[in-house]
Amino acid sequence: VEQFEAYGMEDRLAAEQSWRNHLKRHDSVFVDHTQGMHRSHLTCPGCGRESVKFDVYSSISLPLVPPKSGSTIPLKDCLDQFAAGEQLDEHNAWYCSNCKRHVCALKLITLWNTPDVLVFHLKRFTFEKCPDVEGRILKRKIEDTVNFPIDRLDMTEYVLGPVDPDAPPIYKLFGVSEHSGTTANSGHYTATVRNSEDGNWYRYNDSNVGFTSGDAAITGGAYLLFYQRSKGSLRWAGMEKELSGSPALDEEGFQAVVGKKKKKNGR
């Protein structure tokens, strides 16, 4: 199912139709509780042409910004950088139909909604061109510590779509996947997980399991963060409620108009 251009459409209608298209190919418990949507806005730096599309995500990749003070990076700084947008490089250039060429567009991603299980991927691995050897890529791992909240992460300010007061985008941490090593192709993975029944934290290292704390997972090796909605539950990140009260659109984004039935025998 191809994405459709949503520029000029009302965001709510575009989001609903995008999710309907997604459900044509995907329907599972995973979709119900771990997928959300974000709004992608591209702008050509040459002619100013704009493109808006709604994409489905299962995790959010966050850039690691240099620490402002101290030795740790607040997770909020990473979220703010993600929300600030970026300019695409030549490897990810976007084709502008006006300019008839690929351009390094300005890209702004905004979360439309968030699922019950929210996963953050911390972008610890960088790949840069070597200034001295053509064609060589320098790989590096960022091992700065990201200071992420354990019991309360409020995502309200980053959500563009409607917020349900019965199930707000407020989360608590329940798992961290950690990586030790210098490259993405090697190393060792461990996990720190909160037990949903007793509330205790456990550390998993191959076949070894031991007691720990959530704070102990805040290290330079934290790679994936797993959060769960603290209050309530929203199927399809809330889209189920949105779709229940909205008529379907056709493939071009128009709402079908149902005509009145003609009376029979003059009645």
Side-chain angles (χ1 to χ4, degrees), residues 85-214:
E86 62 177 335
Q87 182 162 18
L88 301 180
D89 57 29
E90 61 272 17
H91 299 293
N92 299 287
W94 170 64
Y95 184 77
C96 175
S97 58
N98 281 353
C99 298
K100 306 298 182 184
R101 62 186 179 89
H102 286 85
V103 298
C104 296
L106 303 175
K107 184 175 184 179
L108 179 64
I109 293 180
T110 309
L111 300 180
W112 180 254
N113 53 32
T114 55
D116 287 342
V117 176
L118 186 60
V119 181
F120 292 114
H121 158 235
L122 302 181
K123 298 171 71 172
R124 291 198 173 277
F125 300 100
T126 63
F127 304 88
E128 303 172 350
K129 290 183 178 180
C130 178
D132 302 321
V133 181
E134 185 177 355
R136 183 180 179 184
I137 301 297
L138 298 178
K139 303 176 183 179
R140 184 173 68 91
K141 181 182 178 183
I142 303 173
E143 299 194 77
D144 292 330
T145 298
V146 176
N147 192 359
F148 46 87
I150 305 297
D151 294 313
R152 181 182 170 84
L153 171 64
D154 191 345
M155 293 291 292
T156 305
E157 66 177 288
Y158 302 103
V159 176
L160 180 63
V163 172
D164 190 331
D166 295 325
I170 299 175
Y171 295 83
K172 61 180 179 181
L173 186 76
F174 73 89
V176 179
S177 176
E178 303 116 357
H179 175 270
S180 58
T182 57
T183 69
N185 299 324
S186 63
H188 181 65
Y189 286 92
T190 55
T192 302
V193 182
R194 189 202 305 247
N195 187 296
S196 61
E197 294 185 0
D198 61 23
N200 292 325
W201 286 90
Y202 297 88
R203 180 171 175 78
Y204 296 82
N205 186 352
D206 290 337
S207 60
N208 299 317
V209 181
F211 288 102
T212 186
S213 66

Side-chain angles (χ1 to χ4, degrees), residues 11-20 22-23 31-32 35-37 54 56 112-115 161-162 164 229 234-246:
D11 281 343
R12 179 183 61 82
L13 296 178
E16 291 172 0
Q17 187 59 29
S18 296
W19 190 257
R20 284 192 177 96
H22 179 62
L23 293 179
V31 174
D32 291 349
Q35 291 190 340
M37 276 199 308
F54 283 79
V56 176
W112 180 254
N113 53 32
T114 55
D164 190 331
R229 195 184 304 275
L234 292 175
R235 189 184 184 208
W236 302 341
M239 291 306 298
E240 183 179 42
K241 288 187 176 182
E242 297 300 312
L243 294 181
S244 64
S246 299

